[in-house]
């Protein structure tokens, strides 16, 4: 059986992994594929494609804004799937879809997963689908389509629960850096670092990527130090503007993060 | 076991649950593990009921509306939640939740508000308990409900404008949830209705159930029977209705009539009639009926009443509609305004616009002479005077004769 691209990535790379989030259909409806291709060309290890939603509860101002713009541009799940129809002829990096639960529910959960498999999506992040709800009602559907479900852990997640999530995960764990929504910040506090360290010392089976707030060299270094890598979203989205050179924006992002 | 009570997982049939980001999992679990035991403790009950009596002014009267009864040819009793301290039923819930918050050691209180009634009720109990209070309110609502904003500020609360979407209740709720995500440890979120993740819908219904507890006693005294033939209440999220029907749900002889906001008409594209127009979805942590487009994007609701202007509905009501236990009528702005003027001029009671939707049900339903109808007047109309004044000339010219 074809090995999931996420697992392949972590087999040959265990440090300094960079996953970048984009809002599909932003800044223009047709931007999606171009942004994905440029990210891959610039050596980004994994790409997280965000489906815009009217009520993104876990997101801060930047992704709220890009989501609203993408919706106004006409982005929907059907449009996105059409845009991604031949994406696997263009890029080989792991692709993960991030969506709130409701749009998937309305599209049809199974239909959504089948379509993801058909396109060559590797994993799903659904921030408001709780882990227990996933286990009870959606695990079989997701696994049935060879997709990986990426669970989030936070400073509020107990060790027992983290262990359980680790057992049920077969890709990577999305470590939310702090009690926050997504967004830019200057640095992580010592309290945040304590938490990074605590998780590192759990020696989980799955790799961990830290997201929420990774937005400059300081936060990139702090997060990378304790984990297998980072997820960057708001910082990138904030820098994208209509009509700009996307390739240049990505190069700028990489130099901001890596110095 | 009631047919209509919540399961331990937080479901009414297929509706409910707790669809929250992982950061809130622990908060929700803590609350789930505490609320039932705390609410039933004798010292909690004692403090809660003492405050309901001495501070809120309960029991609220069950008033036999003689002239209104004559007009509709049945016996109409009004449950006067408008006479509560702060002017609506909202304080029953905020008082209960703040006692729980204190017992859980929380220092910081957040809330969302639409019309501002829940915001004022939250700011009030925070002042009473000396706790920090932050209220999220849509920028549009701040502009149209300025008096309530000023009341909250006078009470010492910080009012934060929600500037996303239509800048109304849905957006204020999003902002409150985001705040909670950022402060899960020290913050208690007082949700104002029977919406949100489990256990909120059940907890808020239990705290509001004092309404039907009183109706039972009062009706027995006044009519010689505990059970009316009809209960009528309005639903936005559904908290005053939940309180009104709570102790009657399993008695199928008691018919439940609910009024939701049809705005300019359910086919106008400008309404908040979630039971009529909604489809199954997840909003603010709960699987329920949601007004949304074919792509699962939540649509912006409209109602003349800021308290009913919400694109979701408590999961209990999705279930009551599904099981046909309750009948829901969609009441337009126009019908609600007419009912408000009718109550004002037949009984001398100026109702809140939300309650006016419930009052409008009286003209939509045929009653028998011996029918006993209990209708909850959820709040008073002070906050809606501007809207009423604008409608006044229209009703003076056109409709006075028929009232």
């Amino acid at each position: 059986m074809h090995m999931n691209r996420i697992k392949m990535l972590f087999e040959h790379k265990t440090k300094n992994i960079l996953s970048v989030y984009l809002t599909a259909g932003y800044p223009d409806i047709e931007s999606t594929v171009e942004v994905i291709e440029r990210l891959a060309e610039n050596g980004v290890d994994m790409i997280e494609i965000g489906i815009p939603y009217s009520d993104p509860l876990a997101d801060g101002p930047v992704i709220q804004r890009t989501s609203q713009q993408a919706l106004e541009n006409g982005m929907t799940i059907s449009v996105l799937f059409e845009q991604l129809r031949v994406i696997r002829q263009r890029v080989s990096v792991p692709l993960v879809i991030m969506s709130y639960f409701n749009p998937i529910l309305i599209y049809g959960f199974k239909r959504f997963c089948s379509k993801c498999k058909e396109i060559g999506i590797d994993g799903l992040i659904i921030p408001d689908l709780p882990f227990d709800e996933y286990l009870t009602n959606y695990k079989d559907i997701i696994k049935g389509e060879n997709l990986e479900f990426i669970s989030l852990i936070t400073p509020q997640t107990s060790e027992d629960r983290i262990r359980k999530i680790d057992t049920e995960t077969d890709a990577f764990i999305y470590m939310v850096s702090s009690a926050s929504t997504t967004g830019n910040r200057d640095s992580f506090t010592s309290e945040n670092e304590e938490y990074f360290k605590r998780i590192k010392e759990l020696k989980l089976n799955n790799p961990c990527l830290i997201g929420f707030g990774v937005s400059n060299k300081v936060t990139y270094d702090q997060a990378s130090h304790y984990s297998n890598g980072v997820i960057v979203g708001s910082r990138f989205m904030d820098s994208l503007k209509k009509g700009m050179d996307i390739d240049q924006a990505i190069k700028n992002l990489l130099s901001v993060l890596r110095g | 076991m009631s047919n209509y009570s919540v399961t331990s997982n937080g479901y009414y049939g297929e509706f409910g649950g707790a669809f929250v980001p992982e950061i809130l999992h622990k908060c929700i679990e803590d609350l789930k593990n505490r609320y039932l035991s705390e609410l039933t403790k004798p010292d909690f009950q004692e403090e809660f009921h003492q405050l309901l009596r001495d501070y809120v002014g309960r029991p609220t009267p069950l008033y036999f509306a003689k002239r209104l009864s004559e007009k509709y040819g049945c016996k109409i009793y009004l449950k006067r939640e408008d006479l509560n301290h702060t002017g609506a039923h909202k304080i029953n819930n905020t008082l209960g939740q703040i006692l729980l918050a204190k017992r859980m050691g929380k220092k910081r209180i957040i809330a969302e508000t639409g019309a501002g009634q829940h915001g004022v009720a939250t700011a009030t109990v925070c002042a009473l308990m000396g706790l920090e209070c932050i209220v999220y309110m849509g920028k549009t609502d701040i502009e149209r409900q300025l008096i309530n904003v000023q009341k909250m500020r006078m009470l010492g609360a910080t009012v934060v404008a929600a500037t996303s979407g239509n800048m109304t209740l849905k957006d204020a709720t999003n902002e409150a949830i985001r705040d909670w995500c950022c402060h899960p440890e020290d913050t208690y979120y007082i949700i104002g209705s029977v919406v949100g993740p489990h256990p909120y819908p059940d907890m808020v219904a239990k705290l509001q159930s004092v309404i039907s507890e009183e109706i039972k006693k009062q009706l027995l005294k006044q009519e010689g029977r505990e059970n009316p033939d009809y209960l009528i209440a309005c639903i936005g999220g559904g908290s005053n209705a939940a309180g009104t029907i709570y102790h009657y749900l399993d008695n199928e002889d008691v018919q439940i009539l609910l009024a939701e906001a049809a705005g300019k008409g359910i086919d106008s594209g400008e309404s908040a009639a979630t039971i009529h127009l909604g489809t199954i979805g997840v909003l603010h942590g709960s699987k329920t009926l949601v007004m949304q487009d074919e792509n699962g994007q939540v649509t912006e609701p409209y109602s003349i009443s800021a308290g009913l202007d919400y694109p979701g509905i408590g999961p209990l009501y999705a279930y009551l509609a599904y099981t046909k236990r309750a009948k829901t009528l969609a009441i337009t702005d126009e019908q609600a305004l007419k009912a408000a003027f009718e109550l004002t001029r037949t009984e001398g009671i100026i109702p809140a616009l939300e309650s006016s939707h419930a009052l409008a049900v009286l003209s939509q339903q045929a009653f028998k002479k011996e029918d006993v109808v209990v209708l909850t007047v959820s709040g008073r109309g002070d906050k809606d005077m501007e809207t009423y004044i604008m409608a006044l000339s229209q009703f003076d010219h056109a409709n006075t004769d028929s009232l």
Side-chain angles (χ1 to χ4, degrees), chain B residues 21-22 29 55 94 113 138 156 163 173 186 218 220 248-249 257 261 269 271 275 286 325-326 348 373 381 396 398:
Chain B
E22 176 63 23
E29 280 296 301
Y55 186 72
T94 59
T113 196
T163 55
T173 308
D186 64 342
Q218 291 167 322
L220 181 64
Y248 291 109
L249 274 169
L257 303 177
S271 95
I275 298 276
S286 180
R325 173 67 185 93
V373 177
D396 271 344

Side-chain angles (χ1 to χ4, degrees), chain B residues 73-334:
Chain B
C74 59
K75 295 170 113 172
I76 299 169
Y77 286 86
L78 302 178
K79 183 59 174 163
R80 298 289 308 277
E81 292 302 302
D82 58 314
L83 295 178
N84 283 323
H85 179 41
T86 71
H89 68 292
K90 292 289 184 189
I91 196 152
N92 302 329
N93 168 45
T94 59
L95 200 52
Q97 287 202 55
I98 201 125
L99 294 178
L100 182 60
K102 278 196 83 154
R103 281 155 188 259
M104 293 177 76
K106 302 286 183 174
K107 303 278 181 244
R108 182 174 174 272
I109 303 295
I110 58 170
E112 84 296 338
T113 196
Q117 289 304 101
H118 174 59
V120 169
T122 305
T124 298
V125 296
C126 285
L128 180 68
M129 298 294 168
L131 289 175
E132 184 188 359
C133 180
I134 296 123
V135 179
Y136 289 90
M137 187 168 185
K139 193 162 166 279
T140 310
D141 288 335
I142 287 182
E143 284 157 12
R144 63 180 173 174
Q145 304 284 345
L146 203 57
I147 288 287
N148 274 341
V149 175
Q150 285 160 340
K151 281 186 188 171
M152 286 185 265
R153 289 188 175 140
M154 184 167 173
L155 287 158
T158 305
V159 181
V160 181
T163 55
S164 56
N166 256 21
M167 303 186 240
T168 60
L169 180 56
K170 170 177 84 99
D171 314 295
T173 308
N174 289 341
E175 283 308 317
I177 294 174
R178 288 185 188 116
D179 177 307
W180 203 20
C181 289
C182 296
H183 306 90
E185 275 185 74
D186 64 342
T187 296
Y188 185 97
Y189 179 18
I190 300 189
I191 295 185
S193 193
V194 288
V195 301
H198 178 66
Y200 281 101
D202 183 50
M203 176 167 65
V204 176
K206 282 190 162 65
L207 293 171
Q208 291 291 0
S209 72
V210 63
I211 299 174
S212 51
E213 195 181 306
E214 289 174 5
I215 294 173
K216 280 200 157 191
K217 287 181 200 153
Q218 291 167 322
L219 203 60
L220 181 64
K221 207 166 156 195
Q222 296 179 60
E223 270 302 313
R225 53 192 272 199
E226 279 192 341
N227 300 332
D229 297 292
Y230 293 93
L231 288 169
I232 302 176
C234 64
I235 47 171
S239 67
N240 88 82
T244 304
I245 66 180
Y246 191 87
H247 291 286
Y248 291 109
L249 274 169
D250 283 312
N251 188 337
E252 308 267 349
D253 292 337
V254 179
Q255 296 193 55
I256 297 169
L257 303 177
L258 303 170
E260 63 178 2
K264 296 179 178 169
I266 53 171
D267 300 321
S268 68
E270 289 184 80
S271 95
T274 310
I275 298 276
H276 283 83
L277 300 174
T279 51
I280 293 183
V282 168
L283 179 66
H284 297 144
S286 180
K287 187 188 273 187
T288 183
L289 293 171
V290 179
M291 291 180 59
Q292 56 188 330
D293 68 14
E294 69 278 11
N295 297 307
Q297 306 295 344
V298 182
T299 53
E300 299 292 350
Y302 163 79
S303 165
I304 195 170
S305 149
L308 303 181
D309 196 353
Y310 185 65
I313 188 80
L316 168 66
Y317 298 99
Y319 185 59
L320 294 181
Y322 175 77
T323 57
K324 299 192 166 48
R325 173 67 185 93
K327 179 176 161 190
T328 306
L329 293 89
I331 302 296
T332 63
D333 292 353
E334 197 66 28

Side-chain angles (χ1 to χ4, degrees), chain A residues 62-251:
Chain A
V62 173
I63 294 176
Q64 287 176 43
R65 178 171 58 77
T66 58
S67 298
Q68 198 176 340
Q69 181 63 54
L71 289 173
E72 283 166 21
N73 292 346
M75 182 47 69
T76 67
I77 291 178
S78 303
V79 168
L80 176 64
F81 283 157
E82 186 53 35
Q83 290 179 347
L84 296 181
R85 206 163 44 86
V86 293
I87 195 71
R88 279 304 171 201
Q89 295 167 19
R90 315 274 192 97
V91 299
S92 59
V93 293
L95 296 175
V96 171
I97 284 191
M98 176 343 257
S99 173
Y100 286 87
F101 185 45
N102 196 55
I104 304 180
L105 191 68
I106 300 310
Y107 186 86
F109 201 93
K110 184 158 184 357
R111 180 179 167 223
F112 181 86
C113 293
S114 309
K115 200 74 192 172
C116 284
K117 182 191 179 186
E118 191 184 309
I119 288 165
I121 299 298
D122 303 286
L124 297 180
I125 299 172
I126 309 175
D128 58 344
L129 180 63
F131 176 64
D132 312 272
E133 190 81 32
Y134 156 73
L135 284 187
T136 316
N137 296 315
Y138 299 99
K139 181 182 160 183
D140 292 347
I141 303 173
I142 292 174
K143 290 282 181 186
E145 302 294 346
N146 283 332
L147 297 168
E148 298 302 335
F149 184 72
I150 319 288
S151 289
L152 282 70
I153 63 169
T154 76
Q156 293 279 300
T157 311
S158 69
E159 182 177 339
D160 277 359
R161 188 169 166 85
I162 292 172
R163 297 266 180 221
K164 199 171 161 202
I165 287 171
D166 191 35
T167 309
E168 290 288 344
T169 299
D170 202 14
F172 70 94
I173 288 173
Y174 190 137
M175 208 174 137
V176 176
S177 66
S178 54
S180 67
T181 52
T182 57
N184 297 322
R185 60 188 293 166
D186 296 333
S187 66
F188 291 118
T189 63
S190 55
E191 195 189 342
N192 299 146
E193 283 197 272
E194 278 304 309
Y195 152 70
F196 299 165
K197 204 172 151 199
R198 173 163 68 84
I199 301 303
K200 188 183 165 81
E201 284 166 0
L202 292 178
K203 301 196 185 310
L204 301 175
N205 299 319
N206 287 277
C208 284
L209 299 184
I210 296 179
F212 284 45
V214 179
S215 40
N216 55 20
K217 181 155 170 43
V218 175
T219 47
Y220 175 85
D221 287 345
Q222 283 177 303
S224 302
H225 179 72
Y226 294 100
S227 69
N228 303 87
V230 300
I231 301 166
V232 178
S234 294
R235 176 73 210 206
F236 178 46
M237 284 293 105
D238 206 12
S239 72
L240 274 191
K241 302 274 161 13
K242 269 183 189 294
M244 81 187 313
D245 182 343
I246 290 171
D247 186 64
Q248 195 53 50
I250 294 166
K251 289 194 162 69

